[in-house]
Amino acid sequence: MIKVDISNVWGQLSLPDLLAVEQEIASAHQTLADGTGEGNDFLGWLDLPVAEETEEMKRIQKAADWIRANSDVFVVVGIGGSYLGPRAAIELMQGCNHNIGKGKGDPQIYFAGNTLSTRAWNELQRLLEGKDFSLAVISKSGTTTEPAIAFRALKWMLERKYGTDGASKRIFAITDPAKGALRQMATEEGWESFIIPPAAGGRYSVLTAVGLLPMAVAGIDIRKVMKGAYDAKTEYNYVRSFENPVWLYAGVRNLLYRHGKTTEIMASWEPGYKMMGGWWQQLFGESEGKDGKGIFPVSVEFTADLHSLGQMIQQGERNIFETMIRFDAPEKVAVVGSDAKNLDGLNYLAGKQLDFVDEQAYQGTLAAHVDGGVPVITVDMGALNDEKLGELFYFFELCCGVSAYLLGVNPFNQPGVEFYKRNMFQLLGKPGYEN
């Protein structure tokens, strides 16, 4: 079980504060479990994790094996939850530089359709030159502007390289089971397709084919991912007390918000966690930021960002709190070497493991920020492996649902997202948006 340490919020909060909201938390969790709250038609994610391999998972793995055997590069086309979850999983498990040295049998994986940058498109074209590639296009509708533009261009590249029939074998659609432009295209063109359950919104879809196919192509064991998520579903929904880390995290962050802490900084000490921070930002930002409410989510990478945002966190406006993410040390250790001249003055660390240095940096930062008036929640994930990945995803999804109901908002809609689209479509002259 993930461990949540709230010992560094006391002073900003008190135990009576926490005990006073126990019934609120219990009610929010029950509302989510019973499906009686707003947005209850988007609760399909709650029961996605399963203990045994399903037929859908077998199809996903079979498709991934084909892609791995026949592709130097695999391109995932999607935006929002359609790319943040799978990219977060791959970079957390394999690092930010996971593509270096890969090729057919273990393909490079790139993400497209999440930007309108011409420079980014030109770079992707360059990376695909002379490479065998396949792609997954992920969209419930198939008409979202950014991925639709990217998919149109990549589909043309595939057809030019392999012909129409050859290209159709290299396109995998992940979409609504019955409706939408992408479902129609997949049916007419004969592409292999996987479903996004209609009751699972995009930011809660990482444990569907949306996340599982890219993970499997990357060589992550999706059966273990789902096993970890299943164990989390079983345990975190069963325990209804402050022994449940979901209750601690959701409850304390809402209490801090009520005490004027309107910004949450999620700090990880692993560079590979950076995109997981991006996935967390979307999950909580879109779920809670509405009706004039919401904790503003920001993710940072320590120790790097201590040299950029550290001053602001230490002595800036006191409207922030931190959630620090920690993992167990890896099995393979690195040791600080010695130097005869010692001009850098580091010989006092010679022979010490790098993880020991990292731990002291964490402890020193924790103490400094708490002393500076920043409440800190520590989330200890334990060992980092495929099962933990599944547990982590489910943990934060469940926390988000409970937290949003505590806040008094619908966790599963995002009405504000449409406003920029309407303005953009009008400026682009899209039919139907003239006024």
Side-chain angles (χ1 to χ4, degrees):
M1 181 181 278
I2 289 168
K3 297 177 182 177
V4 173
D5 180 355
I6 61 170
S7 61
N8 291 295
V9 305
W10 307 131
Q12 305 279 341
L13 302 178
S14 68
L15 182 58
D17 290 332
L18 185 59
L19 295 177
V21 298
E22 185 173 13
Q23 287 306 310
E24 283 187 63
I25 300 170
S27 178
H29 196 166
Q30 195 63 44
T31 296
L32 188 66
D34 291 345
T36 55
E38 284 189 288
N40 56 13
D41 49 343
F42 283 97
L43 293 175
W45 59 273
L46 274 170
D47 293 317
L48 284 173
V50 291
E52 302 295 333
E53 187 177 32
T54 64
E55 289 303 316
E56 179 82 345
M57 288 170 62
K58 290 177 183 177
R59 283 208 312 122
I60 290 170
Q61 188 62 59
K62 183 178 179 181
D65 291 343
W66 187 93
I67 293 166
R68 286 173 62 83
N70 293 278
S71 309
D72 299 303
V73 176
F74 179 56
V75 183
V76 181
V77 181
I79 198 167
S82 297
Y83 101 98
L84 284 167
R87 184 171 176 181
I90 293 166
E91 292 196 7
L92 179 59
M93 299 307 298
Q94 300 181 350
C96 306
N97 302 309
H98 62 92
N99 281 326
I100 295 175
K102 288 188 174 183
K104 197 165 291 182
D106 188 15
Q108 297 174 333
I109 301 176
Y110 295 108
F111 294 85
N114 50 71
T115 178
L116 294 171
S117 165
T118 303
R119 290 181 178 85
W121 170 246
N122 290 340
E123 180 188 23
L124 180 60
Q125 281 187 302
R126 178 179 59 78
L127 291 168
L128 292 175
E129 285 179 7
K131 303 287 183 65
D132 284 320
F133 74 97
S134 304
L135 67 86
V137 53
I138 306 172
S139 174
K140 277 194 171 182
S141 66
T143 59
T144 304
T145 306
E146 295 93 334
I149 289 174
F151 177 57
R152 178 178 283 200
L154 288 163
K155 177 174 174 287
W156 179 84
M157 288 177 65
L158 280 174
E159 290 176 343
R160 185 182 179 194
K161 186 177 181 72
Y162 301 104
T164 303
D165 291 340
S168 68
K169 296 177 183 178
R170 293 178 173 271
I171 298 174
F172 299 82
I174 303 174
T175 188
D176 188 274
K179 61 183 180 180
L182 183 54
R183 170 52 59 195
Q184 182 179 351
M185 283 189 280
T187 301
E188 291 181 359
E189 301 291 338
W191 304 329
E192 183 163 5
S193 65
F194 302 94
I195 67 166
I196 306 173
R203 60 186 177 274
Y204 292 87
S205 66
V206 68
L207 295 174
T208 71
V210 169
L212 296 179
L213 179 60
M215 287 186 221
V217 173
I220 296 170
D221 189 333
I222 60 174
R223 292 167 298 182
K224 290 182 178 179
V225 171
M226 289 298 269
K227 176 63 165 55
Y230 176 80
D231 290 344
K233 180 185 77 169
T234 304
E235 197 162 20
Y236 295 142
N237 280 304
Y238 176 75
V239 178
R240 300 294 178 93
S241 71
F242 284 122
E243 292 182 2
N244 188 337
V246 170
W247 280 37
L248 282 179
Y249 179 60
V252 169
R253 66 191 303 275
N254 273 272
L255 274 172
L256 288 168
Y257 176 68
R258 295 174 191 182
H259 283 72
K261 306 299 183 181
T262 56
T263 297
E264 178 178 9
I265 300 172
M266 174 168 280
S268 170
W269 300 71
E270 295 292 343
Y273 194 89
K274 190 169 187 175
M275 286 306 302
M276 188 64 74
W279 173 82
W280 168 84
Q281 281 182 173
Q282 189 216 7
L283 179 67
F284 280 85
E286 277 197 349
S287 296
E288 294 189 326
K290 57 201 71 163
D291 302 338
K293 303 176 183 178
I295 302 166
F296 192 84
V298 180
S299 63
V300 296
E301 175 202 328
F302 289 163
T303 59
D305 287 332
L306 290 173
H307 297 261
S308 60
L309 292 174
Q311 175 63 38
M312 173 64 75
I313 295 170
Q314 191 69 44
Q315 296 182 325
E317 188 175 355
R318 300 296 79 184
N319 65 336
I320 62 176
F321 69 96
E322 280 183 291
T323 298
M324 291 192 180
I325 306 297
R326 299 294 287 164
F327 291 95
D328 289 350
E331 291 183 6
K332 184 177 180 180
V333 301
V335 177
V336 179
S338 61
D339 184 85
K341 293 185 177 179
N342 193 33
L343 294 178
D344 53 14
L346 284 181
N347 273 358
Y348 77 100
L349 294 177
K352 289 184 168 60
Q353 292 184 6
L354 184 59
D355 193 73
F356 169 81
V357 181
D358 178 77
E359 177 65 20
Q360 307 322 304
Y362 157 68
Q363 294 290 350
T365 303
L366 173 64
H369 289 185
V370 172
D371 290 345
V374 180
V376 179
I377 302 168
T378 300
V379 181
D380 186 350
M381 295 291 180
L384 179 55
N385 52 42
D386 294 347
E387 288 191 16
K388 180 62 65 177
L389 179 64
E391 180 184 6
L392 186 157
F393 278 128
Y394 196 86
F395 169 77
F396 277 126
E397 288 176 344
L398 188 59
C399 286
C400 188
V402 173
S403 182
Y405 280 140
L406 273 174
L407 189 63
V409 299
N410 180 348
F412 307 113
N413 67 352
Q414 52 277 345
V417 172
E418 300 304 316
F419 285 96
Y420 95 88
K421 293 181 182 179
R422 293 173 192 169
N423 293 341
M424 179 179 70
F425 292 154
Q426 184 181 31
L427 291 167
L428 289 170
K430 183 175 181 177
Y433 287 84
E434 292 83 2
N435 296 318

